[in-house]
Amino acid sequence: MEVLTEDLDLLDAGEPSDPLESIARQLLVEIGEDPDREGLRETPARYARWWREFTRYEPGSVDTLFETTASGNLVAVSGISVWSLCEHHLLPFSCRVTIGYLPQEKMLGLSKFARIAHQHAHKLQSQEQLSQQIADDVERLTGSGDVAVIGRGEHLCMAMRGIRTPATMTTAVWRGALKDSALRGELIALTNDGRQ
């Protein structure tokens, strides 16, 4: 009976029934804010909506394939911009992704590269894992073991806390024939991904 009384007290106090809203409200209290003041009244609800929207993002179909007569020729897609969340600090990082592969009999539809990148970015993540997961999907979908993924990210967990300085982190996954230095160089030259 005691638990029931406490639950009724919380409802009377205006506590949100949504667990994410409750967490946001408690966070505001813990950092010394008043969640009932004018600018913050709707913040817990917005916070809950954003987390659900971001982590439940559905990019749509990622498996549209076409026949190709360009087997073995390098295909590169660059400038794919995604946002993700550092799994260590729950802070955002932005990442520009370049994907290269050598198609075999099938090639992946152009928009599918961005959809794959977004699908893996919209969760708690590290940039290293993000690059690996994108490469895994491109390899699985195309049937080509010759895949490369380059990620260039800026992490708020470094820029806003600790050392508090911006920096760019680069990750690279090289598989199959794309481990060859000549093809690596061609991919970097085509996409200008060696820029500082």
Side-chain angles (χ1 to χ4, degrees):
M1 198 63 156
E2 204 171 343
V3 174
L4 180 59
T5 304
E6 288 176 14
D7 290 343
L8 289 173
D9 289 344
L10 285 176
L11 289 174
D12 289 341
E15 286 293 319
S17 61
D18 181 328
L20 281 176
E21 286 186 44
S22 295
I23 289 167
R25 186 175 176 80
Q26 184 61 35
L27 175 65
L28 292 171
V29 169
E30 292 297 325
I31 63 171
E33 288 287 351
D34 174 8
D36 294 318
R37 78 170 166 84
E38 180 62 33
L40 294 178
R41 278 191 203 122
E42 298 301 317
T43 297
R46 284 190 293 267
Y47 174 91
R49 280 193 307 272
W50 180 86
W51 273 96
R52 289 192 174 97
E53 175 187 308
F54 189 85
T55 59
R56 294 177 182 169
Y57 175 81
E58 292 292 331
S61 171
V62 296
D63 58 359
T64 303
L65 296 166
F66 301 99
E67 298 291 329
T68 183
T69 56
S71 292
N73 292 324
L74 181 61
V75 172
V77 181
S78 60
I80 300 168
S81 294
V82 297
W83 282 95
S84 192
L85 291 166
C86 167
E87 65 183 11
H88 304 124
H89 302 98
L90 299 182
L91 288 172
F93 68 91
S94 63
C95 193
R96 289 183 55 83
V97 177
T98 294
I99 303 168
Y101 80 114
L102 300 175
Q104 302 305 315
E105 295 172 7
K106 302 275 187 186
M107 63 183 192
L108 195 58
L110 178 60
S111 69
K112 306 316 174 194
F113 294 99
R115 290 177 191 268
I116 290 167
H118 279 281
Q119 175 180 301
H120 292 292
H122 281 257
K123 56 186 166 188
L124 299 180
Q125 188 64 279
S126 73
Q127 185 176 321
E128 296 90 339
Q129 291 169 333
L130 177 62
S131 298
Q132 290 286 344
Q133 291 167 357
I134 293 168
D136 290 345
D137 264 6
V138 172
E139 184 174 339
R140 178 181 59 79
L141 290 165
T142 64
S144 174
D146 306 317
V147 174
V149 175
I150 302 167
R152 295 175 58 81
E154 294 183 18
H155 297 248
L156 294 186
C157 57
M158 181 171 173
M160 291 180 66
R161 55 163 297 284
I163 191 70
R164 291 189 178 99
T165 188
T168 301
M169 176 182 180
T170 302
T171 53
V173 176
W174 306 100
R175 296 184 180 169
L178 287 169
K179 289 181 178 178
D180 176 78
S181 61
L183 279 174
R184 283 172 137 175
E186 184 180 347
L187 177 63
I188 290 169
L190 282 173
T191 61
N192 196 23
D193 233 343
R195 64 190 175 279
Q196 294 296 319

